[in-house]
């Protein structure tokens, strides 16, 4: 739930020094609030994660452009609801392998934290219906199969020995579905078939 | 406790299409209708759900003709979905599994008071604009119930 406000510079002002000021509003509260780190800035983004970290609330943000002695109207966002609009990241994936099976352990991503000391909150706690799309690619047969799982671990039995398999996993928040980018591809080779090795 | 399976996807799909338009019409940022839903206790969930489904059907969706055709059509679809959700919750009441504590009654009274403090058109638009809050609350609470039961 890292929430960054981004905007485009006003048209027709190339080469002119433009600075910006951002304000945000917590829906149901009384007034617009400023963020000192985003007052009179020249960059075109402002990280509002700390200000919008309560994902059960909704927010608005607005930005004004200032150049020479002019200032623009406020450009305002729609109502932003982090709980329903955040983009989830991929899970962490741990693989263990033997001759004919693979065990996959998935760890849901964590919520954005103000600082490392802050208590970690798993996205699984926030979204109990979180699921995972596991993609398994057999490099020998060049075939991929997909499996949708709701818990954190699964075992893939009946794999072929001495075969390279590649795994990618996406996290999925149901209705309206939000799919994470895929995790880094991880490839492992199943062990050689010990029985044939001993002949 | 009663925790029926609540299919909210039809509502979400219809609402997604009008969210931007309806929330833009709501210019009263400093006022909310569905305040403090996340402080409702599990025991009160069924009662508050039933009361809010009725609130929307009786006090909000009825005024959809005052809105644009596109929004009004979506609201009709949402209204039908709410009738289905009401039928889902109804058995809970029939089996006396949907008690209303004082706190639940206060919570729904507050919501109705918030509505009444506004002029009808503004109240209807604001309530419609907060449908995502209500649906997210149902999803969060009714899933957790069914998965841990």
């Amino acid at each position: 739930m890292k929430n960054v406000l981004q905007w485009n510079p006003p048209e027709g002002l190339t080469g002119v020094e433009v600075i910006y000021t951002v304000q945000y509003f917590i829906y149901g509260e009384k007034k617009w609030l400023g963020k000192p780190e985003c007052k009179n800035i020249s960059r075109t983004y402002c990280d509002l994660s700390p200000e919008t970290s309560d994902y059960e609330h909704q927010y608005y943000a607005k930005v004004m452009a200032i150049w020479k002695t002019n200032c623009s109207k406020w450009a305002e966002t729609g109502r932003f609801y982090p709980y329903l609009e955040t983009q989830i990241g991929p899970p962490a994936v741990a693989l263990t392998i033997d001759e004919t099976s693979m065990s996959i352990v998935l760890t849901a991503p964590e919520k954005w934290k103000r600082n490392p000391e802050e208590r970690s909150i798993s996205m699984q706690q926030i979204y109990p219906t979180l699921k995972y799309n596991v993609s398994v690619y057999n490099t020998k047969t060049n075939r991929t199969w997909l499996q949708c799982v709701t818990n954190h671990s699964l075992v893939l039995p009946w794999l072929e020995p001495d075969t390279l398999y590649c795994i990618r996993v996406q996290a999925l928040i149901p209705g309206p579905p939000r799919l994470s980018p895929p995790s880094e591809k991880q490839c492992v080779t199943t062990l050689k078939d010990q029985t044939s090795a001993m002949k | 406790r009663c925790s029926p399976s609540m299919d909210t996807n039809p509502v979400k799909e219809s609402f997604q299409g009008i969210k931007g338009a309806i929330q833009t019409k709501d210019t009263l940022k400093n006022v909310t209708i569905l305040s403090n839903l996340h402080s409702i206790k599990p025991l009160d969930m069924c009662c508050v759900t039933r009361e809010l489904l009725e609130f929307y059907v009786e006090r909000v969706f009825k005024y959809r003709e005052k809105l644009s055709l596109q929004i009004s059509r979506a609201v009709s679809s949402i209204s039908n979905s709410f009738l289905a959700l009401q039928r889902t919750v109804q058995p809970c009441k029939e089996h006396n599994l949907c008690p209303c504590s004082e706190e639940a009654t206060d919570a729904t009274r507050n919501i109705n008071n918030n509505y009444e403090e506004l002029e009808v058109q503004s109240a209807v638009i604001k309530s419609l604009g907060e449908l995502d809050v209500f649906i997210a609350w149902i999803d969060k609470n009714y899933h957790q119930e069914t998965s841990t039961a």
Side-chain angles (χ1 to χ4, degrees), chain A residues 111-157:
Chain A
K111 181 180 183 288
W112 172 83
K113 295 197 282 194
R114 287 167 205 258
N115 54 65
E117 288 74 44
E118 201 174 68
R119 183 174 67 89
S120 295
I121 299 174
S122 165
M123 295 298 268
Q124 177 77 51
Q125 292 168 253
I126 298 171
Y127 300 102
T129 57
L130 188 68
K131 295 180 169 51
Y132 300 102
N133 283 353
V134 181
S135 145
V136 184
Y137 171 58
N138 179 330
T139 58
K140 208 177 268 185
T141 62
N142 197 29
R143 295 181 61 187
T144 300
W145 76 89
L146 289 174
Q147 206 160 328
C148 182
V149 296
T150 52
N151 45 27
H152 301 276
S153 59
L154 72 153
V155 176
L156 303 178

Side-chain angles (χ1 to χ4, degrees), chain A residues 5 32 39 46 51 55-56 63 66 70 75 119 121 149 155 177 183 185 187 189:
Chain A
L5 177 71
W32 288 92
K39 185 177 171 68
C46 169
E51 291 76 16
Y55 54 82
E56 306 227 87
V63 56
I66 303 145
N70 310 292
R119 183 174 67 89
I121 299 174
V149 296
V155 176
S183 60
K185 183 165 75 172
C187 301
T189 304

Side-chain angles (χ1 to χ4, degrees), chain A residues 25-30 32 56 58 60 76 79 81 83-85 128-129 175-176, chain B residues 9 12 16 19 23 26 29-32 38 126 129-130 132-133 136 140 143-144:
Chain A
F25 194 103
I26 302 169
Y27 180 55
E29 295 300 322
K30 294 293 171 241
W32 288 92
E56 306 227 87
Q58 295 120 81
Y60 295 85
E76 193 175 303
R79 192 180 303 170
Y81 189 8
Y83 179 73
L84 286 183
E85 297 178 58
T129 57
Chain B
N9 282 329
K12 282 183 266 194
Q16 204 60 31
K19 168 186 153 74
Q23 289 181 346
D26 179 6
K29 295 184 173 62
N30 57 337
V31 176
T32 66
H38 45 267
K126 185 169 277 297
E130 293 183 12
D132 52 1
V133 175
K140 208 184 310 178
H143 164 74
Q144 275 165 331

Side-chain angles (χ1 to χ4, degrees), chain B residues 72-87:
Chain B
S72 177
R73 274 206 192 112
V75 173
S76 293
S77 166
I78 292 171
S79 182
N80 292 331
S81 303
F82 265 55
L83 296 177
L85 292 174
Q86 281 185 309
R87 286 192 293 273

Side-chain angles (χ1 to χ4, degrees), chain B residues 24-81:
Chain B
T24 303
K25 285 179 184 296
D26 179 6
T27 55
L28 304 171
K29 295 184 173 62
N30 57 337
V31 176
T32 66
I33 299 279
L34 302 181
S35 40
N36 301 326
L37 263 191
H38 45 267
S39 60
I40 300 293
K41 294 193 175 66
L43 261 182
D44 291 330
M45 240 171 278
C46 178
C47 167
V48 172
T49 301
R50 207 166 43 78
E51 294 287 329
L52 284 185
L53 288 172
E54 188 174 330
F55 165 78
Y56 269 98
V57 169
E58 299 302 329
R59 307 195 77 175
V60 180
F61 300 149
K62 271 191 172 161
Y63 295 97
R64 57 181 177 274
E65 275 75 33
K66 295 177 184 261
L67 304 164
S68 74
L69 187 59
Q70 183 225 351
I71 292 178
S72 177
R73 274 206 192 112
V75 173
S76 293
S77 166
I78 292 171
S79 182
N80 292 331
S81 303

